[in-house]
Amino acid sequence: MTAVRVLLLLAGLWLGWYGLSLLLDLSTPDLLSVAVWFTGGILLHDAVFAPLCAAVGIAARRILPRAWWAAGACGAVCTVALVLIAAPVLRRGHAMPDNPTVLDRDYMAGFIVAVVIVWALVVLAEIIRRRIDKGTPR
């Protein structure tokens, strides 16, 4: 186990050094842009996203029955991941008219279908869990 930790530490140090060397090759305006985006991302996460997630989680625990908490949390996490993945391309279909192969799909429809599938799976998982619980003697 110690050897694995040492290898992971060495890999982490090497990756950190590699990333730092790539950053040092950037111009000063690009470095400032990286710093602004990095700082902004952390602040946005810690000041907005994390408290919002905590509030939604607390509200969901008060609203949803206890049996739905785990499945609901899985569905919420998957939905947030889909939103974060889809956000850059939603409403930007055919954004580059000179290259019709870029953003050439109906991303909003795909996003809605994906979210519906996620929540259908949440409901299906809960139905299966209830049937298993009914069949299990206590």
Side-chain angles (χ1 to χ4, degrees):
M1 192 63 168
T2 304
V4 172
R5 288 181 180 167
V6 169
L7 287 174
L8 287 173
L9 175 68
L10 291 174
L13 289 173
W14 182 80
L15 286 172
W17 175 254
Y18 178 69
L20 189 62
S21 68
L22 290 178
L23 276 176
L24 293 176
D25 290 340
L26 295 177
S27 65
T28 302
D30 288 341
L31 277 176
L32 288 173
S33 177
V34 168
V36 166
W37 277 97
F38 185 72
T39 306
I42 290 172
L43 289 176
L44 184 66
H45 176 270
D46 289 352
V48 177
F49 188 68
L52 183 65
C53 287
V56 169
I58 290 170
R61 286 183 70 122
R62 291 180 184 259
I63 295 170
L64 291 175
R66 184 179 196 95
W68 283 85
W69 289 356
C74 289
V77 168
C78 290
T79 301
V80 168
L82 285 170
V83 167
L84 291 175
I85 291 169
V89 295
L90 291 177
R91 300 282 201 187
R92 293 195 63 205
H94 307 290
M96 299 182 67
D98 55 333
N99 187 351
T101 61
V102 176
L103 300 175
D104 61 342
R105 297 186 179 102
D106 186 358
Y107 291 98
M108 181 59 83
F111 170 73
I112 291 170
V113 167
V115 170
V116 167
I117 288 172
V118 163
W119 286 100
L121 289 173
V122 166
V123 171
L124 181 65
E126 184 57 26
I127 290 170
I128 291 172
R129 189 197 60 77
R130 285 184 181 201
R131 288 191 178 194
I132 290 173
D133 285 351
K134 281 184 181 177
T136 305
R138 296 184 186 217

